[in-house]
Amino acid sequence: MAPLDDSKGVWKQKNTGRSRRTPKGRQVADEAVAELRSLLGDRPRRRDLLIEFLHLIQDEYGCLSADHIAALADEMRLAQAEVYEVATFYAHFDVVRDGETPPPSLTIRVCDSLSCEMAGAEALQQALEDGLDANEVRVLRAPCMGRCDTAPVLELGHHHIDHASLEKVEAAIAGGHTHAVIPDYQTFETYRAEGGYAALLDLRANGDWEEVQERVLASGLRGLGGAGFPSGKKWGFVRANPGPRYLAVNGDEGEPGTFKDRYYLERTPHLFLEGMLIAAWAVEAEKAFIYMRDEYPAVLEILAREIAELEVAGIVEPGFIDLRRGAGAYICGEESAMIESIEGKRGLPRHRPPFVAQVGVFGQPTLVHNVETLYWVAKVCREGPECLNSVEKNGRKGLRSYSVSGRVAAPGVYLLPAGSTILDVIDAAGGMAEGHVFKAYQPGGPSSGLLPASMDDVPLDFDTLQPHGTFIGSAAVVVLSDQDSARDAALNMLKFFEDESCGQCTPCRSGCEKAVQLMQAETWDQPLLEDLCQVMGDASICGLGQAAPNPIRLVMKHFGEEI
């Protein structure tokens, strides 16, 4: 047989009589394939790892080139369009098309959430843009980074700079400080020496999950991600469905003003991990996923280290805990959107029912808990329900971790009785900052809107704020003073929702955009804004669009003189 003539193609072009050497469509570059395979190594090419692989490429090359996207699609046997739509959904991926200039090697993200805006973030961003070479450093605005107590904040690479200034940034660049600083925290050895994991091991050997559920219910613990659902009840709902079952931890603490989860994870990560493993034991979960926001690089490093320690100690099987890294999408704090992201997809909220307790990760029953909720599960199992239910104030039982920022003397996380009022919270934070007079406050993130200082006697807890048209949410308290504008604060909140809407449903996607336009008018068209709020609240499919009207309505109700 004659040897194959490589000079001749094998694919016929229609109506030309000529042959082509490749199939139609974009071709995969051999160099990009080689680079990708070197980067992925022997990792399994599972569909749910797509976002993790996109992170690997972004970290290594500073962007996602068209060639690398094509190579990844080919390697994972996915359509290039599918990889592209996931990559472009998340803010932390830089997709570079053919012929485009890749971004500079350094990126600075300046937080523009309410606390940072009040602390001068806009002027800081302008100073950075004027003072740095745009060819070497890219300056972007970014949503909340969970460091509101040290506003204004920016992230240089993966290094956060608190109370940021141009001078601090220049010094960090000169010193090459672009990686996360790992704080001192309680290690596995220390936690174990103080009795850590004894409760978990005892439950595994002798425990009754229903008895533990009753203890958790007796403590009064409710979901601390914002929804406030009684924590123990979820366990029974999940167990009622046939396995395999999963546990998913919602660590996507993206609500502006919230930083309690980061506070605890950077100090006592094993209290959270033990609580997570107790919950996993209670529902007989085959795997536990931790979905942690990308804005917390130090937490991601701490968890990676300490999960490895648990595996070495034999407390968990290798691979039982699957740590997943978010990519800059607030919507993934919604539990079904988080599950979509865990599966390697765009973080689009699912229509419900079915609920995730029935159809969650990979279509299986899934228990979803917030980080701080699991922190308290461990404490209840170690110390008894009395650690929560013995504390009472203003007719409310339990404790709340308030993330406090804004015009207070000492911003931070404060553990206070659940019935505390805004005056108690301000007092715990050292009072008002010097020269500032209390004017208004945000009780639970931008989703909760603004209340006036005159409403200073309302207990900040679940169920107590609903009669006033708001809620406690994640207890992200931002304090405003006489030097701040409630109108401008509400606009900041709606701009955040406009940016972070996933766009799946029209009431939220178009409603947030229209609201921002109307709120920038010199005088607000209140009847039109109220109609818009009604449609968004009634027709949006998830909490983002349903809660986005709250800042508008509460400013119209309490700060009418400003609009």
Side-chain angles (χ1 to χ4, degrees):
M1 181 181 292
L4 180 66
D5 184 355
D6 288 337
S7 66
K8 294 180 180 178
V10 294
W11 301 91
K12 292 291 185 184
Q13 286 184 291
K14 188 175 181 180
N15 299 327
T16 65
R18 297 193 302 271
S19 56
R20 64 168 70 243
R21 296 189 55 76
T22 61
K24 289 183 177 181
R26 185 183 188 93
Q27 302 308 300
V28 179
D30 292 340
E31 182 181 359
V33 170
E35 291 171 343
L36 180 69
R37 288 178 177 171
S38 174
L39 201 57
L40 301 188
D42 60 358
R43 294 176 176 86
R45 275 44 169 181
R46 299 201 317 264
R47 173 64 180 79
D48 62 292
L49 294 176
L50 175 58
I51 294 171
E52 298 297 308
F53 294 165
L54 291 170
H55 272 305
L56 290 175
I57 300 170
Q58 176 78 34
D59 290 345
E60 179 69 19
Y61 297 101
C63 63
L64 303 175
S65 69
D67 280 344
H68 281 135
I69 285 179
L72 182 58
D74 185 68
E75 188 73 8
M76 297 188 71
R77 300 297 185 263
L78 296 173
Q80 291 182 33
E82 193 170 358
V83 177
Y84 179 83
E85 74 173 13
V86 172
T88 53
F89 182 88
Y90 296 93
H92 290 186
F93 296 136
D94 293 303
V95 177
V96 178
R97 297 175 177 85
D98 287 329
E100 286 187 342
T101 303
S105 57
L106 272 181
T107 294
I108 293 175
R109 288 184 166 88
V110 182
C111 178
D112 69 351
S113 66
L114 182 57
S115 298
C116 283
E117 184 178 89
M118 290 161 60
E122 188 175 346
L124 171 64
Q125 181 172 344
Q126 190 62 54
L128 293 169
E129 291 174 347
D130 294 342
L132 299 174
D133 185 349
N135 294 316
E136 296 182 3
V137 183
R138 177 177 57 159
V139 180
L140 303 174
R141 67 181 185 89
C144 185
M145 298 177 185
R147 308 182 77 86
C148 318
D149 51 334
T150 57
V153 171
L154 60 79
E155 189 179 27
L156 173 64
H158 289 299
H159 172 52
H160 286 100
I161 298 179
D162 300 324
H163 304 297
S165 66
L166 174 61
E167 293 73 26
K168 286 185 177 181
V169 170
E170 290 175 333
I173 292 174
H177 299 311
T178 60
H179 298 288
V181 176
I182 309 301
D184 291 332
Y185 64 91
Q186 187 180 43
T187 63
F188 172 75
E189 292 80 3
T190 305
Y191 184 72
R192 193 75 188 271
E194 296 177 358
Y197 294 105
L200 169 69
L201 297 177
D202 180 61
L203 288 173
R204 284 177 174 176
N206 311 300
D208 175 357
W209 76 270
E210 290 179 307
E211 188 273 329
V212 178
Q213 178 180 248
E214 287 305 313
R215 262 192 281 169
V216 172
L217 289 170
S219 73
L221 179 64
R222 295 172 66 172
L224 297 172
F229 190 81
S231 298
K233 283 189 177 180
K234 286 186 177 183
W235 298 1
F237 292 158
V238 174
R239 283 194 67 118
N241 296 285
R245 308 183 190 97
Y246 297 108
L247 167 68
V249 178
N250 193 339
D252 198 66
E253 186 178 46
E255 189 78 5
T258 313
F259 48 97
K260 61 185 179 62
D261 291 351
R262 175 186 63 81
Y263 176 88
Y264 289 119
L265 289 172
E266 288 185 347
R267 289 161 176 80
T268 54
H270 283 282
L271 201 55
F272 150 70
L273 287 169
E274 183 169 14
M276 179 191 74
L277 293 174
I278 288 171
W281 162 82
V283 298
E284 296 181 339
E286 293 200 3
K287 198 176 189 70
F289 295 91
I290 302 176
Y291 188 87
M292 187 56 55
R293 65 189 311 225
D294 197 31
E295 290 86 347
Y296 288 174
V299 170
L300 283 161
E301 176 62 27
I302 289 169
L303 289 176
R305 291 180 186 180
E306 299 310 306
I307 290 168
E309 291 290 329
L310 290 177
E311 292 176 350
V312 170
I315 290 177
V316 295
E317 292 291 326
F320 177 79
I321 302 174
D322 194 338
L323 179 61
R324 295 297 181 88
R325 178 179 166 190
Y330 164 75
I331 192 64
C332 291
E334 196 277 337
E335 62 180 8
S336 66
M338 174 193 68
I339 287 173
E340 289 287 297
S341 194
I342 288 172
E343 294 178 356
K345 306 172 189 172
R346 294 177 295 166
L348 299 176
R350 297 175 178 176
H351 292 267
R352 292 175 289 184
F355 296 94
V356 299
Q358 302 165 295
V359 182
V361 179
F362 307 135
Q364 296 302 127
T366 302
L367 174 66
V368 176
H369 274 314
N370 166 258
V371 168
E372 192 199 356
T373 305
L374 294 170
Y375 169 94
W376 284 107
V377 166
K379 286 187 74 72
V380 167
C381 289
R382 291 181 64 173
E383 303 171 18
E386 299 77 22
C387 68
L388 281 176
N389 65 19
S390 63
V391 180
E392 186 170 352
K393 182 169 183 156
N394 291 329
R396 311 300 298 176
K397 288 187 176 183
L399 293 165
R400 295 284 305 187
S401 299
Y402 296 97
S403 305
V404 189
S405 61
R407 307 300 190 183
V408 292
V413 173
Y414 294 93
L415 186 63
L416 302 173
S420 298
T421 65
I422 185 61
L423 295 181
D424 297 322
V425 172
I426 292 173
D427 184 59
M432 293 296 293
E434 187 175 353
H436 291 268
V437 177
F438 180 36
K439 172 183 176 177
Y441 65 103
Q442 175 182 282
S447 301
S448 67
L450 285 173
L451 294 177
S454 58
M455 295 179 62
D456 59 8
D457 58 349
V458 182
L460 302 184
D461 194 19
F462 296 118
D463 309 322
T464 58
L465 289 163
Q466 277 84 342
H468 305 288
T470 183
F471 50 84
I472 187 62
S474 57
V477 178
V478 180
V479 178
L480 280 67
S481 78
D482 56 339
Q483 299 180 28
D484 301 309
S485 161
R487 169 198 176 111
D488 290 348
L491 180 59
N492 176 282
M493 299 175 200
L494 265 294
K495 284 182 175 179
F496 169 77
F497 291 130
E498 180 187 22
D499 283 346
E500 295 298 330
S501 171
C502 74
Q504 181 181 188
C505 67
T506 304
C508 176
R509 180 185 68 246
S510 298
C512 289
E513 180 185 10
K514 184 65 174 178
V516 168
Q517 293 172 359
L518 292 172
M519 294 168 73
Q520 289 174 323
E522 185 175 343
T523 302
W524 285 13
D525 185 337
Q526 296 190 51
L528 182 56
L529 276 167
E530 178 53 43
D531 285 348
L532 184 62
C533 291
Q534 187 71 39
V535 171
M536 291 174 67
D538 289 345
S540 297
I541 69 169
C542 86
L544 192 157
Q546 293 163 10
N550 288 339
I552 304 171
R553 283 176 161 152
L554 290 174
V555 166
M556 290 194 297
K557 180 177 181 180
H558 299 294
F559 304 95
E561 71 282 358
E562 293 191 20
I563 59 171

